[in-house]
Amino acid sequence: MAECQNIRTGRHCAFVMHVHLVFLTKYRHNVFTNAHLKRMEEIMRSVCEDFETELVEFNGETNHVHLLVNFPPKVAVSKLVNSLKGVSSRRLRQEYPELVRHYWRAQRLWSGSYFAGSVGGAPLSVVRQYIEQQNRPL
C-alpha cells in the first residue's frame, strides 16, 4: 500500500504515470560539464512546473541527459519533450556562449530524436492477468 501514497488526482481521474526520457546532444558532441547539468536541471524543473508535471530524477553525462518525469494524462509527452528541449537549448546557449562553438552550422543543442519509455507499476504479465480475470457480464 506504500505505492498508493504516490497516486495523484485530477478533476476526474487518479493516476500514477512516469516516463523515462533521454535526450542526446546534436552529433553526440561531448559538451556538458557539471555546471551545465546543474543549470539544465533547474531549467527543466521550471518547464515541468509549467506543464504541471514533476521532474522526479535528473542526471546526465557529457553528451546526454536522463529524466524521470511524473506527468498527468492531460499532458502529451511529445509536447513536454519539445518544450524541455527547446527551452533548455535556448537558455543554455544564451547563458553559456561556449556551447555555440560546437554547433557552428546547426544552432541546436539537442539531436532531433529522443527516447521515451513508460516506467513504474506492475509488469505487463501481471496487468494482463488482472484484466483477464475481470468478471465480464454474460
Side-chain angles (χ1 to χ4, degrees):
M1 285 309 273
E3 287 291 321
C4 291
Q5 294 174 353
N6 295 330
I7 293 177
R8 293 174 58 187
T9 58
R11 189 165 182 202
H12 299 286
C13 63
F15 57 92
V16 179
M17 296 171 53
H18 290 84
V19 64
H20 174 205
L21 300 171
V22 181
F23 304 153
L24 303 169
T25 58
K26 188 89 171 157
Y27 312 122
R28 294 275 301 202
H29 284 175
N30 296 320
V31 297
F32 298 138
T33 64
N34 190 41
H36 295 136
L37 293 174
K38 282 182 180 179
R39 180 62 181 130
M40 188 182 317
E41 181 175 4
E42 293 170 1
I43 292 167
M44 291 191 172
R45 281 193 189 284
S46 173
V47 171
C48 283
E49 285 177 18
D50 292 343
F51 274 80
E52 298 178 13
T53 63
E54 176 191 4
L55 181 57
V56 177
E57 194 66 44
F58 175 90
N59 208 348
E61 294 184 12
T62 58
N63 64 1
H64 70 280
V65 295
H66 291 263
L67 296 84
L68 179 60
V69 180
N70 181 351
F71 67 102
K74 68 180 181 180
V75 172
V77 174
S78 61
K79 291 188 185 219
L80 175 62
V81 166
N82 286 341
S83 189
L84 286 166
K85 289 170 71 174
V87 172
S88 64
S89 176
R90 187 172 49 257
R91 289 198 186 154
L92 284 171
R93 286 184 292 114
Q94 286 171 349
E95 295 175 21
Y96 299 96
E98 73 273 10
L99 291 177
V100 177
R101 70 180 168 86
H102 292 282
Y103 305 102
W104 54 273
R105 185 177 276 169
Q107 292 298 308
R108 290 174 182 82
L109 178 63
W110 300 113
S111 165
S113 60
Y114 64 93
F115 168 80
S118 61
V119 295
L124 289 178
S125 60
V126 174
V127 174
R128 180 176 286 136
Q129 183 181 18
Y130 174 77
I131 293 171
E132 287 173 352
Q133 293 175 352
Q134 297 300 299
N135 291 324
R136 186 175 184 154
L138 299 175

